Amino acid sequence: MIVGGWNTNKLVQIYDINRKSFKPLKSTLYERDGSTIVKINNHVYTAGGLRSNFVECLDLNQVDGDWYKLASMNEQRQFAASAVLNDQMCVAGGSDGVNALSSVELYNPVVNIWTNIASMQTKRWQHALVSYNGRLYTFGGGEKLLILNHLNSMKSYDPREGKWKSLKPMNEGRHGLCSVVYNDEIYAIGGDGLSVERYNIRTNTWTNVNSLKHERYGSCACVVNGKIYVIGGGYGDASKSIEAYDATINEWKIETNMETARDDALVVAL
């Protein structure tokens, strides 16, 4: 499912990777430019965006139905990052329109409540956040809005300890990257460039893999049927393309082209 993006008029589509076809769904209630998205127990949740702390949900049991509003986040967040932690939606960092944020919020869908957990040690926006084996991992992004510094640092959060700790930094700084967990490793994809690297959680090391076909800034990614799919972002042809990575041959290839450019959009595997 691909949701929103810059100047897409709340567009929501499902992309069938086998047929390489797109199916439109009901539009979101709010513009979703630089928002966040997760899937929990057959529901899709999207939060934040430009000057927004609004949250909405789609029940996949009624995939052709309407999106509905939920409790708002405590802070407005654009260009934040999200992941699922213990069946809750975690949203970290982002921009409130004036400053980058280090705060982190956790949404419990059972009681429809947001609560703050320990803040990241660094302010981050246009960064990455993934969850693996009950822990969060955040990396990359920028620390200030007006100065595009490209962070390469990585931190992990263990909810049992309630604090963040430093891990091996990436080989290069990445702002506007996207990320997935794939074959038990974490991939840092693009961000003002073609390069891609993966993190081995057991050995705490980063290794470069083959580069993208297009430079991608503000793209989004998910894993389906054993491949990584990266959607939009970047400039020109890149913003309308989807490319896929096959780890068995360490190769990226253009999968298809979309009719609508997708910059700072959202994607979740169904």
Side-chain angles (χ1 to χ4, degrees):
M1 178 185 289
I2 308 170
V3 178
W6 180 79
N7 201 28
T8 58
N9 297 318
K10 310 175 187 177
L11 181 65
V12 181
Q13 294 175 310
I14 289 180
Y15 174 63
D16 187 321
I17 63 171
N18 296 315
R19 297 180 179 179
K20 296 187 179 181
S21 62
F22 294 86
K23 173 186 174 182
L25 296 182
K26 294 285 185 66
S27 298
T28 52
L29 300 173
Y30 304 97
E31 296 284 350
R32 293 295 171 190
D33 173 15
S35 303
T36 65
I37 195 168
V38 297
K39 176 178 172 286
I40 304 173
N41 296 331
N42 223 31
H43 289 73
V44 174
Y45 300 85
T46 179
L50 181 61
R51 292 185 294 276
S52 171
N53 63 345
F54 299 135
V55 182
E56 54 188 298
C57 177
L58 178 67
D59 184 347
L60 295 176
N61 296 306
Q62 300 173 334
V63 70
D64 293 316
D66 294 322
W67 293 79
Y68 57 93
K69 188 176 179 181
L70 300 171
S72 296
M73 292 186 292
N74 296 321
E75 294 187 77
Q76 294 184 4
R77 298 176 188 271
Q78 187 181 23
F79 305 127
S82 62
V84 177
L85 181 66
N86 299 329
D87 287 332
Q88 297 185 71
M89 181 180 188
C90 181
V91 181
S95 161
D96 62 5
V98 179
N99 298 298
L101 303 171
S102 62
S103 59
V104 183
E105 301 185 45
L106 204 59
Y107 175 72
N108 186 327
V110 176
V111 294
N112 191 30
I113 290 176
W114 288 89
T115 55
N116 284 81
I117 61 174
S119 294
M120 299 180 292
Q121 296 166 337
T122 305
K123 295 179 180 179
R124 296 179 191 267
W125 68 293
Q126 287 279 33
H127 57 297
L129 180 75
V130 298
S131 176
Y132 181 79
N133 277 356
R135 294 188 180 189
L136 296 170
Y137 297 82
T138 186
F139 43 99
E143 196 171 3
K144 297 180 180 179
L145 299 192
L146 299 180
I147 302 173
L148 287 183
N149 59 322
H150 292 58
L151 297 172
N152 69 342
S153 59
M154 184 185 204
K155 310 286 183 180
S156 72
Y157 175 81
D158 187 337
R160 295 167 298 183
E161 298 176 357
K163 60 183 180 181
W164 295 84
K165 68 176 184 179
S166 297
L167 298 173
K168 181 80 171 180
M170 294 182 290
N171 295 321
E172 60 183 278
R174 298 176 185 274
H175 185 266
L177 75 162
C178 59
S179 181
V180 296
V181 176
Y182 176 54
N183 292 342
D184 297 316
E185 295 182 301
I186 297 170
Y187 280 69
I189 303 166
D192 271 345
L194 293 167
S195 68
V196 180
E197 51 188 303
R198 67 186 175 204
Y199 175 74
N200 187 305
I201 297 167
R202 296 184 303 278
T203 61
N204 189 31
T205 56
W206 287 93
T207 305
N208 284 81
V209 301
N210 264 0
S211 296
L212 295 159
K213 300 297 184 185
H214 288 303
E215 290 189 11
R216 296 186 185 275
Y217 176 90
S219 58
C220 51
C222 64
V223 176
V224 182
N225 289 354
K227 292 183 180 180
I228 301 173
Y229 289 82
V230 178
I231 294 95
Y235 313 96
D237 291 341
S239 64
K240 288 189 175 183
S241 68
I242 297 175
E243 58 183 291
Y245 176 74
D246 186 341
T248 61
I249 56 175
N250 187 26
E251 183 177 322
W252 292 90
K253 76 174 199 176
I254 301 299
E255 168 80 4
T256 192
N257 289 304
M258 303 176 286
E259 292 183 0
T260 303
R262 295 281 194 165
D263 297 308
D264 298 316
L266 321 170
V267 68
V268 65
L270 303 182

